Amino acid sequence: MKDAFLLSKRNIELSKYEVLYLLNIDDYKINNNLLVIDTNKNIGNQIKRLAYTKKAYCVLFETNYADLMKKIKTYAWKKAYKSNFRVRITNLTNKKIKHSEKDLASCIWINLEKNKIKPKVKLDNPKTKIEVIFAPKKVFCCIETWENKEKFELRKAHLRPELHPTSLDPRLARCLVNMTGAKKGSIILDPFCGSGGILIEAGLAGLKPIGCDIDQIMLNRAGINLDYYRIRGYKLKKQDATEIKQAKQKTDYVVTDLPYGKNTKQKDLVDIYDRFLKNLKKIVKKRAVVVLPDIIDYKRLIKTNKLTIMKEFSYYLHKSLSKSIVIIKN
Ligand SMILES: C[S@@+](CC[C@H](N)C(=O)[O-])C[C@H]1O[C@@H](n2cnc3c(N)ncnc32)[C@H](O)[C@@H]1O
């Protein structure tokens, strides 16, 4: 069975790896911003955590443009049809599509009637959401299985009870959490948690957030924010992240946005990052997702601390600052 994901165009690379790492998938095809994966796994509930995917689909069939109508007319729609249906067209090409939703729907209607089904069209929230996606070289006939309606914007830093000017965008924070691949109920540690932006998204995604910060005021803010979003079972601790002692049991996943003061000297930042990475080696078991300013030569630091970079992304924040997102394994 194939599943498809309509990715946000803001950062296709990040959106793509959010899906691949969350579902632990290596094999994929990408057509513009449509990611297609071959999976026999039950991915049902996990995908509802995704930040940068707009919609998910089950692919009924894919075809070239020339064979589309023949396939639509002969496909066994009876198997996919439930109670009522509608057809939507999504055009990922920059060309005009010569088919209309109505034409495609009438072919499906006739096909269903021939198979002794009395079809019903329902445009608003139908049981069978058929979507015909036109990619540059192929057409994908799909059933929509999920639409992302999560209101990440309502959790932006300035809308939380306790503010922090450098808190990450909630959608990005969720994506970072997802890129650990952590399953529901796993622990996520943010050793530089600030006002809790990453912890909130981890908690809402069904994970157990643990936050540390050197500053008690920040921890108090994080607590207020986490309570505001009704996150249960979180833990917060005053702790210097560069001195975390090796726990009896290592933490599976770390997600963190390293401190970056514009006025802090680069030499001092390198020193903090280096000491943190030394500790990361001792505390993380599976994967760490670390955000840091791209002006620092972090590759050297990661290598000297005997950690391995799995993947890196660049994330543009504003004219004077881009950040690097680095996926690290121990
Ligand atoms: C970039 S902010 C984190 C922002 C956070 N993601 C949020 O959503 O608010 C960095 C945080 O690191 C903390 N910090 C700086 N040095 C630290 C250290 N050595 N150990 C632990 N926390 C530290 C600061 O107090 C600050 O709250």
Side-chain angles (χ1 to χ4, degrees):
M1 199 184 86
K2 281 186 179 166
D3 288 276
F5 299 82
L6 189 66
L7 307 176
S8 150
K9 286 185 185 164
R10 264 184 272 184
N11 187 330
I12 293 187
E13 200 56 8
L14 206 54
S15 315
K16 180 176 98 183
Y17 276 93
E18 186 193 11
V19 178
L20 297 177
Y21 284 155
L22 177 67
L23 302 178
N24 194 17
I25 301 264
D26 299 318
D27 209 12
Y28 66 90
K29 289 216 165 75
I30 187 120
N31 297 266
N32 280 25
N33 56 325
L34 188 74
L35 173 73
V36 182
I37 58 175
D38 226 326
T39 172
N40 293 315
K41 293 183 193 176
N42 180 11
I43 56 169
N45 275 332
Q46 274 195 91
I47 61 168
K48 295 181 183 159
R49 285 163 52 177
L50 288 167
Y52 288 129
T53 292
K54 293 180 185 174
K55 283 184 181 183
Y57 312 94
C58 154
V59 181
L60 300 178
F61 62 87
E62 56 185 87
T63 176
N64 51 38
Y65 277 59
D67 294 336
L68 176 66
M69 288 320 277
K70 195 173 101 201
K71 283 262 195 177
I72 292 259
K73 284 177 186 166
T74 54
Y75 183 74
W77 288 104
K78 192 177 173 179
K79 279 194 285 180
Y81 179 83
K82 288 190 194 112
S83 314
N84 46 51
F85 81 110
R86 84 158 177 228
V87 178
R88 286 266 179 272
I89 285 181
T90 294
N91 183 2
L92 305 181
T93 73
N94 43 25
K95 291 189 190 125
K96 203 166 176 285
I97 301 296
K98 56 179 184 187
H99 306 282
S100 72
E101 289 169 351
K102 215 172 153 193
D103 295 344
L104 299 178
S106 32
C107 292
I108 296 170
W109 177 289
I110 294 167
N111 171 302
L112 286 167
E113 274 191 330
K114 274 190 196 154
N115 286 287
K116 316 251 175 307
I117 299 229
K118 266 192 171 178
K120 263 190 222 154
V121 168
K122 189 169 182 272
L123 297 180
D124 188 28
N125 205 20
K127 285 271 188 294
T128 324
K129 297 176 179 173
I130 299 170
E131 197 148 323
V132 183
I133 305 174
F134 290 83
K137 288 187 180 142
K138 288 212 153 187
V139 186
F140 296 84
C141 272
C142 304
I143 296 284
E144 181 197 306
T145 50
W146 173 72
E147 185 175 8
N148 194 346
K149 293 188 176 155
E150 184 75 38
K151 303 244 180 317
F152 288 97
E153 311 72 45
L154 299 182
R155 295 198 291 276
K156 279 190 181 260
H158 65 284
L159 299 172
R160 297 179 201 147
E162 291 292 326
L163 315 183
H164 188 303
T166 63
S167 192
L168 295 175
D169 178 69
R171 216 179 268 275
L172 176 63
R174 174 67 69 87
C175 167
L176 303 180
V177 168
N178 285 336
M179 285 201 295
T180 59
K183 298 263 176 332
K184 202 173 171 199
S186 312
I187 291 173
I188 294 278
L189 168 69
D190 180 355
F192 297 90
C193 74
S195 60
I198 292 170
L199 303 179
I200 293 168
E201 292 309 317
L204 293 174
L207 305 161
K208 286 187 191 152
I210 300 185
C212 301
D213 202 287
I214 203 165
D215 182 346
Q216 186 58 48
I217 295 173
M218 280 299 173
L219 288 168
N220 297 345
R221 289 180 176 166
I224 292 170
N225 285 338
L226 286 158
D227 289 341
Y228 181 77
Y229 292 106
R230 301 189 183 168
I231 313 289
R232 301 237 165 85
Y234 65 82
K235 284 189 191 146
L236 296 171
K237 195 174 167 203
K238 187 165 181 294
Q239 169 80 61
D240 183 335
T242 65
E243 289 174 4
I244 297 179
K245 297 277 178 302
Q246 184 172 1
K248 276 194 202 116
Q249 229 184 333
K250 286 188 178 184
T251 309
D252 281 341
Y253 307 105
V254 168
V255 181
T256 199
D257 177 21
L258 298 189
Y260 170 62
K262 258 194 184 160
N263 302 325
T264 317
K265 284 190 201 133
Q266 197 158 327
K267 186 167 104 353
D268 297 335
L269 284 183
V270 170
D271 180 55
I272 295 188
Y273 297 173
D274 189 28
R275 285 189 292 129
F276 164 64
L277 291 167
K278 213 165 255 113
N279 251 312
L280 187 64
K281 177 82 195 158
K282 287 190 263 168
I283 60 171
V284 75
K285 200 157 126 194
K286 292 187 177 159
R287 195 178 290 181
V289 179
V290 178
V291 181
L292 68 192
D294 63 358
I295 48 160
I296 303 282
D297 181 9
Y298 56 83
K299 285 187 197 177
R300 184 184 61 80
L301 291 178
I302 292 172
K303 199 169 163 205
T304 53
N305 285 299
K306 299 192 173 57
L307 292 158
T308 308
I309 298 182
M310 280 172 67
K311 187 86 196 151
E312 296 161 71
F313 307 89
S314 179
Y315 187 84
Y316 172 86
L317 274 178
H318 50 75
K319 253 197 294 186
S320 55
L321 183 63
S322 281
K323 290 209 172 187
S324 290
I325 297 165
V326 192
I327 317 285
I328 298 174
K329 64 176 182 187
N330 198 342

